[in-house]
Amino acid sequence: MRRCKLNYRRTLRYYYYRMVRLNGTPSYLARGMAVGLFVAFLMPVGLQTIVALPLAFVFRASKVLAFVGTMATNYATMLVLYPLQCWLGSYLLFRPLSYALFKQHITAFLATPTLENFWQLGLEILLPFFAGGLFLAVIFAVAGYYATYHLVAGYRRLRRRRKNRRQPRT
């Protein structure tokens, strides 16, 4: 157990350093993460990268972090996020979904999660999916932007301070 926790921390630290050491301003990097997270929660898995990379060019954002941001939703997390997204969206549209209808549509989709089966879910599932997705996309994109900006800017500020302390004064 302890070894697993150590590996987890090491992996997290590794990707943290990879992110904060990327070239670009903190704003550029943060925009990339925001674009990736926005697309991750708004689009179904499979379309995310296709949409996120052109948007990163349009918003002059980091393409690497836009791609990384889309990894927030994947085949493992969609089992939790998509039902939550549909439930939340149904309440935002003032048309709460019944559990029986939702279960019927989603179990058929989860048996074979393809894009074709996704579009066959119908308006009673797709509208709440996109409404809940838009709500979560805005929240996570804004939070991701500020978190990434502060992580990158804080790391670079700390590096500058350490570098200035090491340099001898003449």
Side-chain angles (χ1 to χ4, degrees), residues 74-159:
N74 53 50
Y75 289 108
T77 60
M78 78 178 197
L79 297 174
V80 175
L81 287 176
Y82 285 3
L84 172 71
Q85 205 168 303
C86 289
W87 177 79
L88 184 63
S90 72
Y91 278 93
L92 289 172
L93 295 173
F94 302 109
R95 293 175 26 193
L97 285 172
S98 71
Y99 179 72
L101 176 69
F102 183 74
K103 184 178 177 185
Q104 172 191 354
H105 285 299
I106 293 299
T107 50
F109 172 69
L110 290 178
T112 53
T114 62
L115 196 57
E116 182 182 319
N117 289 348
F118 177 77
W119 293 116
Q120 290 177 356
L121 289 175
L123 286 180
E124 58 268 350
I125 300 292
L126 287 181
L127 277 175
F129 173 82
F130 285 115
L134 181 63
F135 181 75
L136 291 175
V138 168
I139 289 173
F140 279 95
V142 169
Y145 177 87
Y146 285 110
T148 304
Y149 184 88
H150 289 294
L151 284 172
V152 172
Y155 173 79
R156 291 180 180 178
R157 202 171 25 252
L158 183 66
R159 290 280 304 227

